[in-house]
Amino acid sequence: MSIQSPGLFIAFEGGDGAGKSTQAARLSDALESRGLSVLRTREPGGTPIGEKLRSLVLDHGHGTIDARTEALMFAAARAAHAAQVIRPALAEGTVVITDRYVDSSVAYQGAGRGLGAEGVLSLNEWATEGLRPDLTVLLDVDPSDGRQRRTAGDAAEDRLESEPDDFHSAIRHAFLDLAAAAPSSYLVLTANADIDSLAAQILERVQSLLGDRVPGVRP
Ligand SMILES: Nc1ncnc2c1ncn2[C@@H]1O[C@H](COP(=O)(O)OP(=O)(O)OP(=O)(O)O)[C@@H](O)[C@H]1O
Ligand SMILES: [Mg+2]
């Protein structure tokens, strides 16, 4: 249980196409069906200003966006998200499930763009006033598997997704390094396990964090 608030804050992280949205939806449905108050949200986005920043930073066609500008845009969207959406929901006892959070910036801007983990972490500590997830579920995906999954779905690639494979490899390792540095706050799962088995493992871990708030939670 969080020491920062009565709710529970869960982040899904991992490379593009790892299955974050799929598993965030599964967890959200499982908890809601047990009567818990759940807020499912995503980054960048989650607020009107965050959604505008999302399209500015992810869509093609805004010209070159240098790495620091990109990092600040993500951090700006996250500041709004933390202050206006996540903290108030946690204060009401809601389980907040976010699709991406600070680790994505450390991975994409810190490692992928080469800004370094430390600077990006401290920028985001400031932006979120130190709000950290109680649990981060890291879906570890091989970048080529992730790309294959996305293109199978026929979706156009955004500015970051269309970066080359070595960019995505650097991201993968940055996520794993973050998890290794704080193992008790992470659940690291191999993204190519089957969807039901991943959902069951995630729910089991969340159930242990919720304790007796949700007796009998089952996948
Ligand atoms: N464990 C899995 N095994 C096989 N396919 C999966 C698995 N999980 C998700 N998929 C499929 O892979 C595709 C990408 O999944 P999803 O959209 O959940 O990933 P994501 O991490 O949210 O991607 P993005 O970073 O692009 O938002 C979808 O077509 C989804 O159905
Ligand atoms: Mg997604």
Side-chain angles (χ1 to χ4, degrees):
M1 193 78 43
S2 173
I3 51 163
Q4 353 187 58
S5 65
L8 190 74
F9 183 21
I10 300 161
F12 281 82
E13 297 281 12
D16 301 308
K20 300 176 295 299
S21 302
T22 302
Q23 293 300 331
R26 287 288 298 259
L27 179 63
S28 168
D29 289 349
L31 296 178
E32 268 177 349
S33 73
R34 269 78 180 186
L36 279 166
S37 162
V38 178
L39 175 72
R40 195 178 144 216
T41 183
R42 68 168 186 176
E43 291 204 353
T47 64
I49 188 75
E51 292 294 332
K52 286 217 161 99
L53 284 159
R54 179 187 180 93
S55 55
L56 280 175
V57 78
L58 291 182
D59 293 354
H60 295 278
H62 298 296
T64 303
I65 301 179
D66 88 284
R68 281 167 200 277
T69 307
E70 184 179 283
L72 287 162
M73 288 165 83
F74 279 112
R78 183 164 300 123
H81 194 213
Q84 294 170 232
V85 176
I86 301 174
R87 278 189 193 277
L90 290 173
E92 288 175 359
T94 296
V95 178
V96 177
I97 299 173
T98 186
D99 194 332
R100 297 195 182 280
Y101 193 60
V102 172
D103 286 11
S104 282
S105 281
V106 174
Y108 284 74
Q109 284 71 53
R113 299 293 191 214
L115 291 177
E118 234 167 77
V120 175
L121 259 176
S122 71
L123 170 66
N124 280 280
E125 281 281 313
W126 183 82
T128 62
E129 299 181 88
L131 181 65
R132 292 185 181 180
D134 297 293
L135 175 69
T136 297
V137 178
L138 172 56
L139 295 167
D140 177 42
V141 70
D142 183 287
S144 61
D145 290 348
R147 191 179 290 269
Q148 213 167 14
R149 283 185 187 179
R150 291 195 319 276
T151 45
D154 218 19
E157 294 195 318
D158 68 33
R159 269 186 67 248
L160 293 177
E161 286 169 343
S162 57
E163 289 290 336
D165 283 352
D166 59 348
F167 177 88
H168 291 285
S169 286
I171 282 160
R172 180 186 192 185
H173 289 105
F175 279 128
L176 290 168
D177 286 348
L178 287 164
S184 62
S185 306
Y186 283 81
L187 175 62
V188 182
L189 298 169
T190 303
N192 57 14
D194 77 85
I195 291 178
D196 288 343
S197 119
L198 290 168
Q201 292 177 74
I202 294 165
L203 187 57
E204 191 184 332
R205 178 65 174 268
V206 170
Q207 185 179 12
S208 78
L209 290 171
L210 287 165
D212 55 12
R213 284 170 64 187
V214 251
V217 170
R218 294 282 181 274

